[in-house]
Amino acid sequence: MITENGKVIAVNGDRVWVQTISASACQQCSAKKGCGQKALAQMSGGRANQVLVANTINAKVGDEVTLGIEESALLGASVLVYAVPLVTMLLATIAGHNLSGGQDIGAILGAATGLGAGLLATRFLQGRRGEAYEPKLLRVNHIASVTCL
């Protein structure tokens, strides 16, 4: 499971907005130089991200929480977002090229049609399995306080 710490900044019914800074995960990761996430975090200056998640642990505004997402969900979402439109575009490009008798315009129209169909398919598939790709609240991080005498 991939985890990230954040702070609850708002409650919206049975869901909460959690603010995270994505650069914190980069310090612990073994793929420091080969990962695009670190480059994105550096470009954004480590700015905070806000995520809306189901409040399954009764978190309140100001609570420090840990979010988690399964690796398989992250992989599935990546395949859905990147591979489905790419594969449909590629197949439609080949079909358009062959159906137009080898004309480039047929390949171009096929590519545009395939990309559009792939994006629509992605949206449809995401709607059916959307909850599987959402991060989940794992716990509220309590800091033990000690009073000095």
Side-chain angles (χ1 to χ4, degrees):
M1 177 163 291
I2 300 169
T3 61
E4 180 70 35
N5 293 325
K7 185 174 187 176
V8 176
I9 58 170
V11 176
N12 187 2
D14 62 343
R15 299 170 75 79
V16 292
W17 283 100
V18 178
Q19 185 171 358
T20 65
I21 298 176
S22 59
S24 66
C26 296
Q27 306 307 325
Q28 303 163 2
C29 182
S30 62
K32 294 182 191 306
K33 292 186 180 178
C35 178
Q37 182 66 28
K38 183 175 181 182
L40 288 173
Q42 287 175 338
M43 286 175 42
S44 68
R47 283 192 304 226
N49 299 313
Q50 296 178 357
V51 181
L52 182 63
V53 296
N55 190 5
T56 57
I57 59 173
N58 202 20
K60 296 169 184 52
V61 174
D63 285 347
E64 295 286 331
V65 295
T66 299
L67 295 168
I69 188 167
E70 293 292 335
E71 289 92 350
S72 60
L74 187 60
L75 179 63
S78 298
V79 167
L80 183 65
V81 170
Y82 295 111
V84 171
L86 182 63
V87 168
T88 56
M89 183 178 79
L90 188 61
L91 292 174
T93 301
I94 293 168
H97 182 68
N98 289 337
L99 291 173
S100 68
Q103 297 292 318
D104 287 344
I105 191 69
I108 292 168
L109 292 174
T113 303
L115 180 61
L119 291 173
L120 287 174
T122 298
R123 187 158 180 100
F124 173 74
L125 292 172
Q126 176 197 8
R128 294 183 66 198
R129 293 209 52 213
E131 287 184 16
Y133 302 130
E134 289 183 6
K136 303 197 179 357
L137 284 177
L138 301 177
R139 64 184 166 274
V140 175
N141 301 328
H142 296 286
I143 300 172
S145 61
V146 178
T147 55
C148 297
L149 299 176

Short mmCIF file of all heavy atoms in Angstrom, two decimals, residues 52-127:
data_model
loop_
_atom_site.label_atom_id
_atom_site.label_comp_id
_atom_site.label_asym_id
_atom_site.label_seq_id
_atom_site.Cartn_x
_atom_site.Cartn_y
_atom_site.Cartn_z
N LEU A 52 -10.38 14.72 -1.98
CA LEU A 52 -11.67 14.47 -1.33
C LEU A 52 -11.81 12.96 -1.15
O LEU A 52 -11.78 12.21 -2.12
CB LEU A 52 -12.81 15.02 -2.19
CG LEU A 52 -14.22 14.89 -1.62
CD1 LEU A 52 -14.36 15.69 -0.33
CD2 LEU A 52 -15.24 15.35 -2.64
N VAL A 53 -11.93 12.51 0.10
CA VAL A 53 -12.02 11.08 0.40
C VAL A 53 -13.17 10.82 1.36
O VAL A 53 -13.61 11.72 2.09
CB VAL A 53 -10.70 10.53 1.00
CG1 VAL A 53 -9.57 10.61 0.02
CG2 VAL A 53 -10.34 11.25 2.28
N ALA A 54 -13.64 9.58 1.36
CA ALA A 54 -14.70 9.18 2.28
C ALA A 54 -14.16 9.21 3.71
O ALA A 54 -13.06 8.74 3.99
CB ALA A 54 -15.19 7.78 1.93
N ASN A 55 -14.96 9.76 4.61
CA ASN A 55 -14.55 9.89 6.01
C ASN A 55 -14.96 8.64 6.78
O ASN A 55 -15.92 8.63 7.53
CB ASN A 55 -15.18 11.13 6.63
CG ASN A 55 -14.60 11.46 7.99
OD1 ASN A 55 -13.68 10.81 8.45
ND2 ASN A 55 -15.15 12.47 8.63
N THR A 56 -14.20 7.57 6.60
CA THR A 56 -14.52 6.28 7.22
C THR A 56 -14.00 6.17 8.65
O THR A 56 -14.34 5.21 9.34
CB THR A 56 -13.92 5.14 6.39
OG1 THR A 56 -12.51 5.36 6.27
CG2 THR A 56 -14.55 5.09 5.02
N ILE A 57 -13.19 7.14 9.10
CA ILE A 57 -12.60 7.05 10.44
C ILE A 57 -13.04 8.22 11.33
O ILE A 57 -12.45 8.46 12.37
CB ILE A 57 -11.06 6.98 10.36
CG1 ILE A 57 -10.50 8.21 9.65
CG2 ILE A 57 -10.61 5.71 9.70
CD1 ILE A 57 -8.99 8.30 9.70
N ASN A 58 -14.07 8.94 10.89
CA ASN A 58 -14.62 10.05 11.65
C ASN A 58 -13.58 11.13 11.96
O ASN A 58 -13.47 11.60 13.09
CB ASN A 58 -15.29 9.55 12.94
CG ASN A 58 -16.31 10.52 13.47
OD1 ASN A 58 -16.80 11.38 12.73
ND2 ASN A 58 -16.63 10.41 14.74
N ALA A 59 -12.81 11.50 10.96
CA ALA A 59 -11.79 12.55 11.12
C ALA A 59 -12.46 13.92 11.19
O ALA A 59 -13.54 14.13 10.62
CB ALA A 59 -10.81 12.49 9.97
N LYS A 60 -11.80 14.83 11.88
CA LYS A 60 -12.32 16.18 12.04
C LYS A 60 -11.32 17.19 11.47
O LYS A 60 -10.16 16.85 11.26
CB LYS A 60 -12.57 16.45 13.51
CG LYS A 60 -13.64 15.56 14.11
CD LYS A 60 -13.67 15.68 15.62
CE LYS A 60 -14.66 14.75 16.26
NZ LYS A 60 -14.55 13.37 15.88
N VAL A 61 -11.77 18.39 11.22
CA VAL A 61 -10.91 19.45 10.69
C VAL A 61 -9.72 19.63 11.64
O VAL A 61 -9.89 19.71 12.85
CB VAL A 61 -11.68 20.76 10.53
CG1 VAL A 61 -10.76 21.90 10.13
CG2 VAL A 61 -12.79 20.60 9.50
N GLY A 62 -8.53 19.65 11.07
CA GLY A 62 -7.31 19.82 11.83
C GLY A 62 -6.60 18.52 12.17
O GLY A 62 -5.44 18.54 12.59
N ASP A 63 -7.27 17.38 11.99
CA ASP A 63 -6.64 16.09 12.28
C ASP A 63 -5.56 15.78 11.25
O ASP A 63 -5.74 16.01 10.06
CB ASP A 63 -7.67 14.95 12.25
CG ASP A 63 -8.56 14.91 13.46
OD1 ASP A 63 -8.24 15.62 14.45
OD2 ASP A 63 -9.57 14.19 13.43
N GLU A 64 -4.45 15.25 11.74
CA GLU A 64 -3.40 14.70 10.87
C GLU A 64 -3.80 13.27 10.56
O GLU A 64 -4.05 12.49 11.48
CB GLU A 64 -2.04 14.74 11.55
CG GLU A 64 -1.52 16.12 11.85
CD GLU A 64 -1.02 16.86 10.62
OE1 GLU A 64 -0.58 16.19 9.68
OE2 GLU A 64 -1.09 18.10 10.63
N VAL A 65 -3.88 12.93 9.29
CA VAL A 65 -4.35 11.61 8.89
C VAL A 65 -3.37 10.96 7.92
O VAL A 65 -2.51 11.63 7.34
CB VAL A 65 -5.75 11.67 8.23
CG1 VAL A 65 -6.80 12.13 9.22
CG2 VAL A 65 -5.73 12.57 7.00
N THR A 66 -3.51 9.65 7.76
CA THR A 66 -2.73 8.91 6.77
C THR A 66 -3.70 8.39 5.72
O THR A 66 -4.70 7.75 6.06
CB THR A 66 -1.98 7.74 7.43
OG1 THR A 66 -1.08 8.27 8.40
CG2 THR A 66 -1.20 6.95 6.39
N LEU A 67 -3.41 8.70 4.46
CA LEU A 67 -4.18 8.20 3.32
C LEU A 67 -3.43 7.02 2.74
O LEU A 67 -2.20 6.97 2.80
CB LEU A 67 -4.27 9.27 2.23
CG LEU A 67 -5.02 10.54 2.54
CD1 LEU A 67 -4.76 11.57 1.47
CD2 LEU A 67 -6.49 10.26 2.65
N GLY A 68 -4.15 6.10 2.13
CA GLY A 68 -3.50 4.98 1.48
C GLY A 68 -4.25 4.56 0.23
O GLY A 68 -5.46 4.76 0.12
N ILE A 69 -3.50 4.04 -0.72
CA ILE A 69 -4.08 3.49 -1.93
C ILE A 69 -3.31 2.23 -2.28
O ILE A 69 -2.08 2.18 -2.14
CB ILE A 69 -4.06 4.51 -3.10
CG1 ILE A 69 -4.86 3.99 -4.28
CG2 ILE A 69 -2.66 4.90 -3.49
CD1 ILE A 69 -5.15 5.04 -5.35
N GLU A 70 -4.03 1.20 -2.68
CA GLU A 70 -3.40 -0.06 -3.04
C GLU A 70 -2.58 0.11 -4.32
O GLU A 70 -2.96 0.86 -5.21
CB GLU A 70 -4.46 -1.14 -3.27
CG GLU A 70 -5.22 -1.54 -2.02
CD GLU A 70 -4.35 -2.28 -1.02
OE1 GLU A 70 -3.34 -2.91 -1.42
OE2 GLU A 70 -4.68 -2.23 0.17
N GLU A 71 -1.45 -0.59 -4.39
CA GLU A 71 -0.62 -0.53 -5.59
C GLU A 71 -1.39 -1.01 -6.82
O GLU A 71 -1.25 -0.46 -7.90
CB GLU A 71 0.66 -1.37 -5.43
CG GLU A 71 1.67 -0.79 -4.48
CD GLU A 71 1.50 -1.31 -3.05
OE1 GLU A 71 0.48 -1.97 -2.76
OE2 GLU A 71 2.38 -1.02 -2.23
N SER A 72 -2.22 -2.03 -6.63
CA SER A 72 -2.99 -2.56 -7.76
C SER A 72 -4.00 -1.54 -8.27
O SER A 72 -4.26 -1.46 -9.47
CB SER A 72 -3.70 -3.86 -7.36
OG SER A 72 -4.58 -3.62 -6.28
N ALA A 73 -4.56 -0.73 -7.37
CA ALA A 73 -5.49 0.32 -7.79
C ALA A 73 -4.76 1.39 -8.58
O ALA A 73 -5.26 1.89 -9.59
CB ALA A 73 -6.18 0.93 -6.58
N LEU A 74 -3.55 1.73 -8.14
CA LEU A 74 -2.76 2.73 -8.86
C LEU A 74 -2.37 2.22 -10.24
O LEU A 74 -2.46 2.95 -11.23
CB LEU A 74 -1.52 3.09 -8.04
CG LEU A 74 -0.67 4.24 -8.56
CD1 LEU A 74 -1.48 5.52 -8.62
CD2 LEU A 74 0.54 4.42 -7.67
N LEU A 75 -1.98 0.96 -10.31
CA LEU A 75 -1.64 0.36 -11.60
C LEU A 75 -2.86 0.29 -12.50
O LEU A 75 -2.79 0.63 -13.69
CB LEU A 75 -1.05 -1.04 -11.39
CG LEU A 75 -0.67 -1.79 -12.66
CD1 LEU A 75 0.43 -1.05 -13.41
CD2 LEU A 75 -0.21 -3.20 -12.30
N GLY A 76 -3.99 -0.12 -11.96
CA GLY A 76 -5.22 -0.19 -12.75
C GLY A 76 -5.65 1.16 -13.27
O GLY A 76 -6.07 1.30 -14.43
N ALA A 77 -5.54 2.20 -12.44
CA ALA A 77 -5.89 3.55 -12.87
C ALA A 77 -4.94 4.03 -13.96
O ALA A 77 -5.36 4.68 -14.91
CB ALA A 77 -5.87 4.50 -11.68
N SER A 78 -3.67 3.71 -13.84
CA SER A 78 -2.69 4.11 -14.86
C SER A 78 -2.99 3.44 -16.20
O SER A 78 -2.95 4.09 -17.25
CB SER A 78 -1.27 3.74 -14.42
OG SER A 78 -0.93 4.43 -13.26
N VAL A 79 -3.31 2.16 -16.16
CA VAL A 79 -3.66 1.44 -17.39
C VAL A 79 -4.92 2.05 -17.99
O VAL A 79 -5.00 2.27 -19.20
CB VAL A 79 -3.84 -0.07 -17.11
CG1 VAL A 79 -4.51 -0.77 -18.28
CG2 VAL A 79 -2.50 -0.70 -16.80
N LEU A 80 -5.89 2.32 -17.15
CA LEU A 80 -7.15 2.88 -17.64
C LEU A 80 -6.94 4.24 -18.29
O LEU A 80 -7.43 4.50 -19.39
CB LEU A 80 -8.13 3.00 -16.47
CG LEU A 80 -9.53 3.49 -16.81
CD1 LEU A 80 -10.24 2.49 -17.70
CD2 LEU A 80 -10.33 3.70 -15.53
N VAL A 81 -6.18 5.10 -17.65
CA VAL A 81 -6.01 6.47 -18.15
C VAL A 81 -5.08 6.55 -19.36
O VAL A 81 -5.33 7.33 -20.28
CB VAL A 81 -5.50 7.38 -17.01
CG1 VAL A 81 -5.08 8.74 -17.53
CG2 VAL A 81 -6.57 7.54 -15.96
N TYR A 82 -4.02 5.75 -19.38
CA TYR A 82 -3.04 5.85 -20.45
C TYR A 82 -3.20 4.80 -21.54
O TYR A 82 -3.17 5.13 -22.73
CB TYR A 82 -1.61 5.76 -19.88
CG TYR A 82 -1.27 6.92 -18.99
CD1 TYR A 82 -1.09 6.74 -17.62
CD2 TYR A 82 -1.13 8.19 -19.50
CE1 TYR A 82 -0.77 7.79 -16.80
CE2 TYR A 82 -0.81 9.26 -18.69
CZ TYR A 82 -0.63 9.05 -17.33
OH TYR A 82 -0.33 10.11 -16.52
N ALA A 83 -3.35 3.55 -21.16
CA ALA A 83 -3.31 2.48 -22.16
C ALA A 83 -4.58 2.39 -22.99
O ALA A 83 -4.50 2.17 -24.20
CB ALA A 83 -3.04 1.14 -21.47
N VAL A 84 -5.74 2.53 -22.38
CA VAL A 84 -6.99 2.38 -23.13
C VAL A 84 -7.08 3.40 -24.27
O VAL A 84 -7.29 3.02 -25.43
CB VAL A 84 -8.22 2.43 -22.20
CG1 VAL A 84 -9.51 2.50 -23.00
CG2 VAL A 84 -8.22 1.21 -21.28
N PRO A 85 -6.90 4.70 -24.03
CA PRO A 85 -6.95 5.64 -25.16
C PRO A 85 -5.84 5.42 -26.19
O PRO A 85 -6.07 5.54 -27.40
CB PRO A 85 -6.80 7.03 -24.50
CG PRO A 85 -7.20 6.82 -23.10
CD PRO A 85 -6.82 5.43 -22.75
N LEU A 86 -4.65 5.05 -25.72
CA LEU A 86 -3.55 4.82 -26.65
C LEU A 86 -3.81 3.62 -27.55
O LEU A 86 -3.60 3.69 -28.77
CB LEU A 86 -2.25 4.61 -25.86
CG LEU A 86 -0.99 4.40 -26.70
CD1 LEU A 86 -0.70 5.64 -27.52
CD2 LEU A 86 0.17 4.07 -25.80
N VAL A 87 -4.29 2.53 -26.98
CA VAL A 87 -4.56 1.33 -27.78
C VAL A 87 -5.70 1.57 -28.75
O VAL A 87 -5.61 1.18 -29.93
CB VAL A 87 -4.86 0.12 -26.85
CG1 VAL A 87 -5.42 -1.05 -27.63
CG2 VAL A 87 -3.60 -0.29 -26.12
N THR A 88 -6.77 2.22 -28.31
CA THR A 88 -7.88 2.48 -29.24
C THR A 88 -7.44 3.44 -30.35
O THR A 88 -7.84 3.27 -31.50
CB THR A 88 -9.11 3.05 -28.52
OG1 THR A 88 -8.75 4.23 -27.81
CG2 THR A 88 -9.71 2.03 -27.57
N MET A 89 -6.61 4.42 -30.03
CA MET A 89 -6.12 5.33 -31.06
C MET A 89 -5.25 4.59 -32.07
O MET A 89 -5.38 4.78 -33.27
CB MET A 89 -5.31 6.47 -30.43
CG MET A 89 -4.84 7.50 -31.46
SD MET A 89 -3.96 8.88 -30.73
CE MET A 89 -2.36 8.14 -30.47
N LEU A 90 -4.38 3.73 -31.58
CA LEU A 90 -3.50 2.97 -32.47
C LEU A 90 -4.28 2.04 -33.39
O LEU A 90 -4.04 1.99 -34.60
CB LEU A 90 -2.49 2.18 -31.63
CG LEU A 90 -1.37 1.49 -32.38
CD1 LEU A 90 -0.53 2.50 -33.14
CD2 LEU A 90 -0.51 0.71 -31.42
N LEU A 91 -5.23 1.31 -32.83
CA LEU A 91 -6.04 0.40 -33.64
C LEU A 91 -6.89 1.15 -34.67
O LEU A 91 -7.00 0.73 -35.83
CB LEU A 91 -6.93 -0.46 -32.74
CG LEU A 91 -6.21 -1.46 -31.85
CD1 LEU A 91 -7.18 -2.15 -30.91
CD2 LEU A 91 -5.44 -2.48 -32.69
N ALA A 92 -7.46 2.28 -34.25
CA ALA A 92 -8.28 3.06 -35.18
C ALA A 92 -7.41 3.73 -36.26
O ALA A 92 -7.86 3.91 -37.39
CB ALA A 92 -9.08 4.11 -34.42
N THR A 93 -6.17 4.07 -35.92
CA THR A 93 -5.25 4.62 -36.93
C THR A 93 -4.96 3.59 -38.01
O THR A 93 -5.00 3.90 -39.21
CB THR A 93 -3.93 5.07 -36.26
OG1 THR A 93 -4.21 6.04 -35.28
CG2 THR A 93 -2.97 5.64 -37.27
N ILE A 94 -4.68 2.38 -37.59
CA ILE A 94 -4.41 1.30 -38.56
C ILE A 94 -5.65 1.03 -39.40
O ILE A 94 -5.57 0.90 -40.63
CB ILE A 94 -3.95 0.03 -37.81
CG1 ILE A 94 -2.58 0.29 -37.17
CG2 ILE A 94 -3.88 -1.16 -38.76
CD1 ILE A 94 -2.15 -0.77 -36.18
N ALA A 95 -6.81 0.97 -38.75
CA ALA A 95 -8.06 0.72 -39.49
C ALA A 95 -8.35 1.85 -40.47
O ALA A 95 -8.71 1.60 -41.63
CB ALA A 95 -9.22 0.56 -38.51
N GLY A 96 -8.18 3.09 -40.03
CA GLY A 96 -8.42 4.23 -40.92
C GLY A 96 -7.46 4.25 -42.10
O GLY A 96 -7.86 4.56 -43.23
N HIS A 97 -6.23 3.90 -41.87
CA HIS A 97 -5.23 3.84 -42.94
C HIS A 97 -5.59 2.76 -43.96
O HIS A 97 -5.54 2.99 -45.17
CB HIS A 97 -3.85 3.56 -42.33
CG HIS A 97 -2.73 3.51 -43.32
ND1 HIS A 97 -2.32 4.63 -44.00
CD2 HIS A 97 -1.95 2.49 -43.73
CE1 HIS A 97 -1.32 4.29 -44.81
NE2 HIS A 97 -1.08 2.98 -44.66
N ASN A 98 -5.98 1.59 -43.47
CA ASN A 98 -6.34 0.49 -44.37
C ASN A 98 -7.65 0.76 -45.11
O ASN A 98 -7.76 0.45 -46.30
CB ASN A 98 -6.44 -0.83 -43.60
CG ASN A 98 -5.07 -1.33 -43.15
OD1 ASN A 98 -4.05 -0.98 -43.73
ND2 ASN A 98 -5.06 -2.12 -42.10
N LEU A 99 -8.63 1.31 -44.42
CA LEU A 99 -9.93 1.56 -45.06
C LEU A 99 -9.87 2.69 -46.10
O LEU A 99 -10.68 2.72 -47.02
CB LEU A 99 -10.98 1.89 -44.00
CG LEU A 99 -11.40 0.73 -43.09
CD1 LEU A 99 -12.32 1.22 -41.99
CD2 LEU A 99 -12.06 -0.37 -43.92
N SER A 100 -8.91 3.60 -45.95
CA SER A 100 -8.81 4.71 -46.90
C SER A 100 -7.86 4.40 -48.05
O SER A 100 -7.52 5.29 -48.83
CB SER A 100 -8.34 5.98 -46.18
OG SER A 100 -7.00 5.84 -45.75
N GLY A 101 -7.42 3.16 -48.13
CA GLY A 101 -6.52 2.79 -49.22
C GLY A 101 -5.11 3.32 -49.05
O GLY A 101 -4.42 3.59 -50.02
N GLY A 102 -4.68 3.50 -47.82
CA GLY A 102 -3.32 3.95 -47.55
C GLY A 102 -3.16 5.46 -47.50
O GLY A 102 -2.04 5.96 -47.49
N GLN A 103 -4.25 6.19 -47.44
CA GLN A 103 -4.19 7.66 -47.38
C GLN A 103 -3.90 8.13 -45.95
O GLN A 103 -4.42 7.56 -44.98
CB GLN A 103 -5.52 8.26 -47.85
CG GLN A 103 -5.86 7.95 -49.29
CD GLN A 103 -4.91 8.66 -50.25
OE1 GLN A 103 -4.56 9.82 -50.04
NE2 GLN A 103 -4.49 7.95 -51.27
N ASP A 104 -3.08 9.16 -45.85
CA ASP A 104 -2.75 9.71 -44.53
C ASP A 104 -3.97 10.31 -43.84
O ASP A 104 -4.09 10.22 -42.61
CB ASP A 104 -1.67 10.78 -44.65
CG ASP A 104 -0.30 10.19 -44.94
OD1 ASP A 104 -0.14 8.98 -44.76
OD2 ASP A 104 0.59 10.95 -45.37
N ILE A 105 -4.86 10.92 -44.59
CA ILE A 105 -6.04 11.55 -43.99
C ILE A 105 -6.91 10.51 -43.29
O ILE A 105 -7.50 10.77 -42.25
CB ILE A 105 -6.85 12.38 -45.02
CG1 ILE A 105 -7.91 13.24 -44.32
CG2 ILE A 105 -7.49 11.48 -46.05
CD1 ILE A 105 -7.32 14.36 -43.52
N GLY A 106 -6.96 9.31 -43.86
CA GLY A 106 -7.72 8.23 -43.22
C GLY A 106 -7.10 7.83 -41.90
O GLY A 106 -7.80 7.57 -40.91
N ALA A 107 -5.76 7.78 -41.86
CA ALA A 107 -5.06 7.46 -40.62
C ALA A 107 -5.27 8.55 -39.58
O ALA A 107 -5.48 8.26 -38.39
CB ALA A 107 -3.58 7.25 -40.89
N ILE A 108 -5.24 9.80 -40.02
CA ILE A 108 -5.43 10.94 -39.09
C ILE A 108 -6.84 10.93 -38.52
O ILE A 108 -7.03 11.08 -37.31
CB ILE A 108 -5.12 12.27 -39.80
CG1 ILE A 108 -3.63 12.35 -40.12
CG2 ILE A 108 -5.56 13.46 -38.95
CD1 ILE A 108 -3.26 13.49 -41.07
N LEU A 109 -7.83 10.75 -39.38
CA LEU A 109 -9.21 10.69 -38.91
C LEU A 109 -9.43 9.48 -38.00
O LEU A 109 -10.15 9.57 -37.00
CB LEU A 109 -10.18 10.67 -40.09
CG LEU A 109 -10.26 11.96 -40.90
CD1 LEU A 109 -11.13 11.78 -42.13
CD2 LEU A 109 -10.76 13.11 -40.04
N GLY A 110 -8.82 8.37 -38.35
CA GLY A 110 -8.91 7.18 -37.50
C GLY A 110 -8.29 7.41 -36.14
O GLY A 110 -8.84 6.99 -35.12
N ALA A 111 -7.14 8.09 -36.12
CA ALA A 111 -6.48 8.37 -34.85
C ALA A 111 -7.34 9.26 -33.96
O ALA A 111 -7.50 8.99 -32.76
CB ALA A 111 -5.12 9.03 -35.09
N ALA A 112 -7.92 10.31 -34.54
CA ALA A 112 -8.77 11.21 -33.76
C ALA A 112 -10.01 10.49 -33.25
O ALA A 112 -10.39 10.65 -32.08
CB ALA A 112 -9.16 12.41 -34.62
N THR A 113 -10.61 9.67 -34.11
CA THR A 113 -11.79 8.91 -33.70
C THR A 113 -11.44 7.90 -32.61
O THR A 113 -12.17 7.76 -31.62
CB THR A 113 -12.40 8.18 -34.91
OG1 THR A 113 -12.71 9.16 -35.92
CG2 THR A 113 -13.65 7.43 -34.54
N GLY A 114 -10.33 7.20 -32.79
CA GLY A 114 -9.91 6.21 -31.79
C GLY A 114 -9.57 6.84 -30.46
O GLY A 114 -9.90 6.29 -29.40
N LEU A 115 -8.92 8.00 -30.49
CA LEU A 115 -8.59 8.69 -29.25
C LEU A 115 -9.86 9.13 -28.53
O LEU A 115 -10.00 8.92 -27.32
CB LEU A 115 -7.69 9.89 -29.51
CG LEU A 115 -7.26 10.70 -28.28
CD1 LEU A 115 -6.46 9.83 -27.31
CD2 LEU A 115 -6.45 11.91 -28.69
N GLY A 116 -10.79 9.69 -29.27
CA GLY A 116 -12.06 10.10 -28.67
C GLY A 116 -12.81 8.91 -28.08
O GLY A 116 -13.34 8.98 -26.96
N ALA A 117 -12.85 7.81 -28.82
CA ALA A 117 -13.52 6.61 -28.32
C ALA A 117 -12.82 6.06 -27.08
O ALA A 117 -13.48 5.62 -26.13
CB ALA A 117 -13.57 5.54 -29.42
N GLY A 118 -11.50 6.11 -27.08
CA GLY A 118 -10.75 5.64 -25.92
C GLY A 118 -10.99 6.49 -24.69
O GLY A 118 -11.11 5.97 -23.58
N LEU A 119 -11.09 7.81 -24.88
CA LEU A 119 -11.36 8.70 -23.74
C LEU A 119 -12.77 8.48 -23.21
O LEU A 119 -12.99 8.48 -21.99
CB LEU A 119 -11.15 10.15 -24.16
CG LEU A 119 -9.70 10.54 -24.44
CD1 LEU A 119 -9.62 11.95 -25.01
CD2 LEU A 119 -8.84 10.42 -23.20
N LEU A 120 -13.73 8.27 -24.11
CA LEU A 120 -15.10 7.97 -23.67
C LEU A 120 -15.16 6.64 -22.94
O LEU A 120 -15.84 6.50 -21.92
CB LEU A 120 -16.05 7.98 -24.85
CG LEU A 120 -16.39 9.34 -25.43
CD1 LEU A 120 -17.22 9.19 -26.70
CD2 LEU A 120 -17.11 10.20 -24.42
N ALA A 121 -14.45 5.64 -23.45
CA ALA A 121 -14.41 4.33 -22.80
C ALA A 121 -13.77 4.45 -21.41
O ALA A 121 -14.24 3.84 -20.44
CB ALA A 121 -13.63 3.33 -23.66
N THR A 122 -12.72 5.25 -21.30
CA THR A 122 -12.07 5.47 -20.01
C THR A 122 -13.03 6.10 -19.02
O THR A 122 -13.11 5.68 -17.87
CB THR A 122 -10.82 6.36 -20.19
OG1 THR A 122 -9.90 5.68 -21.04
CG2 THR A 122 -10.17 6.68 -18.87
N ARG A 123 -13.76 7.09 -19.48
CA ARG A 123 -14.72 7.76 -18.60
C ARG A 123 -15.81 6.79 -18.14
O ARG A 123 -16.21 6.79 -16.98
CB ARG A 123 -15.32 8.96 -19.32
CG ARG A 123 -16.20 9.79 -18.44
CD ARG A 123 -16.32 11.18 -19.01
NE ARG A 123 -17.16 11.99 -18.19
CZ ARG A 123 -16.73 12.87 -17.32
NH1 ARG A 123 -15.43 13.04 -17.17
NH2 ARG A 123 -17.55 13.57 -16.61
N PHE A 124 -16.29 5.96 -19.07
CA PHE A 124 -17.32 4.98 -18.74
C PHE A 124 -16.78 3.95 -17.74
O PHE A 124 -17.43 3.64 -16.74
CB PHE A 124 -17.82 4.28 -20.01
CG PHE A 124 -18.76 3.15 -19.75
CD1 PHE A 124 -20.06 3.40 -19.35
CD2 PHE A 124 -18.33 1.84 -19.88
CE1 PHE A 124 -20.93 2.36 -19.10
CE2 PHE A 124 -19.20 0.80 -19.63
CZ PHE A 124 -20.50 1.05 -19.24
N LEU A 125 -15.60 3.44 -18.00
CA LEU A 125 -15.01 2.43 -17.11
C LEU A 125 -14.66 3.01 -15.74
O LEU A 125 -14.79 2.34 -14.73
CB LEU A 125 -13.77 1.82 -17.75
CG LEU A 125 -14.03 0.95 -18.99
CD1 LEU A 125 -12.71 0.58 -19.65
CD2 LEU A 125 -14.82 -0.28 -18.62
N GLN A 126 -14.24 4.26 -15.72
CA GLN A 126 -13.92 4.91 -14.45
C GLN A 126 -15.18 5.07 -13.62
O GLN A 126 -15.15 4.88 -12.41
CB GLN A 126 -13.28 6.27 -14.68
CG GLN A 126 -13.03 7.02 -13.40
CD GLN A 126 -12.79 8.49 -13.60
OE1 GLN A 126 -12.95 9.01 -14.71
NE2 GLN A 126 -12.42 9.18 -12.56
N GLY A 127 -16.28 5.41 -14.26
CA GLY A 127 -17.54 5.58 -13.54
C GLY A 127 -18.01 4.28 -12.91
O GLY A 127 -18.60 4.28 -11.83
#
